[in-house]
Amino acid sequence: MNSIVKRIFTTVIGLPLVIAIVYLGGLVLVLLCAVASVVALRELYRAFAKTDKPIHMVGYAATGAYYAAIYFFGPGYWLLISLTLFVIGVQACLVIFFKKLPLEDAVTTVYGFLYVPFLLSFIVLVREHDSLGAFYVWLIFTSSFGCDTFAYITGMTMGKRKMTGTPSPSKSWEGIIGGIVGATLVGLLFGLFVVHVMDADVGNYFPLNAAVISFIGAIFSIIGDMAASAVKRHTQIKDFGNVFPGHGGMLDRADSLIIVAPIVYLAITLLIRVPVWPWF
């Protein structure tokens, strides 16, 4: 089975499952993000350390506690407590395992948690963001996957000016522009579909909001993809894992989602000014 066939097979099997889980929200979405976070976090830790380290268990435990806090208590001060206890736990390990725990491993543990579980959790926070969150959450995926798809098509057909000097020198500027434009159009079409086909009560400005958020999300999707490429080049690996045949590891598939999710949350919180969680 060649690479393209594997990618198609994985998408056909996995995409409907993800759509169903995001649609349901609640516990199933929290569990999906928690499991994805642990898998991606382990891939990142192993990329840096090449093996499992005892200190990494603090990162896994913090991930479970963090998502449990989101589900049982909501995104209030309990999230701050989870983050605080996590940092204190890492600091305690530096004391308990003095001369046995390299500082680099402690730094990687903290970086990995903030990069993966913390940022990925904004998918849940957007989904549960008042009644409109059920619609805006899809912009995380349309921004990320839409940009990736159109960037690939545009780059293959019109790409000439390579992005030399970046973590992804094989990408082209034409592909980047095509990805951003394509994701913006997908967001606009999604907004029109919600308003005119689903006849959802989301307000007349939803299509415009969706297009603007998709435009911003697409830009940060590119940053997320290149940031993951920078990590892989630094650690000298091709893929983070092989969870998804043809796609690589969990982090390879979610690298742009991780960055786009908090951007969409900030957009609907600060730009659109819909009701927000009390802790903001």
Side-chain angles (χ1 to χ4, degrees), residues 135 188-208 210:
F135 299 99
L188 177 62
L189 292 175
F190 172 74
L192 293 172
F193 175 82
V194 170
V195 172
H196 297 292
V197 179
M198 296 181 63
D199 196 25
D201 184 18
V202 294
N204 295 329
Y205 291 100
F206 182 80
L208 177 60

Side-chain angles (χ1 to χ4, degrees), residues 6 9-10 14 42-43 77 104 129 143 149 153 155 241 246 254 280:
K6 287 182 179 179
F9 178 79
T10 302
R42 184 171 186 269
E43 291 174 348
Y77 60 88
E104 292 78 7
H129 195 296
S143 298
T149 300
I153 295 174
F280 268 116

Side-chain angles (χ1 to χ4, degrees), residues 53-278:
K53 298 290 187 72
I55 185 64
H56 295 163
M57 294 303 299
V58 179
Y60 302 140
T63 300
Y66 177 73
Y67 278 100
I70 291 177
Y71 179 72
F72 288 108
F73 304 109
Y77 60 88
W78 280 101
L79 296 189
L80 297 179
I81 292 176
S82 299
L83 292 174
T84 302
L85 292 177
F86 166 63
V87 175
I88 292 175
V90 174
Q91 294 296 85
C93 288
L94 283 174
V95 175
I96 296 172
F97 302 104
F98 179 62
K99 292 186 178 181
K100 295 182 180 180
L101 174 61
L103 180 61
E104 292 78 7
D105 290 344
V107 171
T108 300
T109 301
V110 175
Y111 165 73
F113 177 83
L114 294 177
Y115 174 33
V116 181
F118 177 68
L119 294 184
L120 195 62
S121 70
F122 279 87
I123 293 178
V124 178
L125 300 186
V126 172
R127 175 63 177 81
E128 303 303 326
H129 195 296
D130 208 294
S131 59
L132 296 182
F135 299 99
Y136 279 112
V137 68
W138 298 108
L139 299 181
I140 299 174
F141 298 91
T142 59
S143 298
S144 176
F145 297 147
C147 181
D148 182 63
T149 300
F150 281 96
Y152 177 78
I153 295 174
T154 308
M156 288 291 292
T157 56
M158 296 185 292
K160 294 180 180 179
R161 298 172 180 85
K162 298 299 182 180
M163 302 183 68
T164 56
T166 70
S168 303
S170 62
K171 295 183 183 298
S172 67
W173 287 105
E174 291 84 358
I176 295 298
I177 295 173
I180 295 174
V181 173
T184 303
L185 290 176
V186 171
L188 177 62
L189 292 175
F190 172 74
L192 293 172
F193 175 82
V194 170
V195 172
H196 297 292
V197 179
M198 296 181 63
D199 196 25
D201 184 18
V202 294
N204 295 329
Y205 291 100
F206 182 80
L208 177 60
N209 291 339
V212 172
I213 291 175
S214 295
F215 173 78
I216 298 172
I219 295 174
F220 282 90
S221 171
I222 295 167
I223 295 175
D225 179 73
M226 288 193 174
S229 296
V231 171
K232 287 190 283 189
R233 288 184 177 277
H234 176 76
T235 55
Q236 298 181 346
I237 60 174
K238 182 179 183 297
D239 293 315
F240 285 106
N242 55 4
V243 175
F244 302 108
H247 291 275
M250 181 68 71
L251 193 51
D252 293 293
R253 185 69 279 187
D255 53 7
S256 57
L257 289 175
I258 289 173
I259 303 298
V260 174
I263 293 301
V264 171
Y265 185 86
L266 291 175
I268 64 177
T269 300
L270 302 178
L271 300 181
I272 301 177
R273 299 184 182 280
V274 295
V276 298
W277 293 105

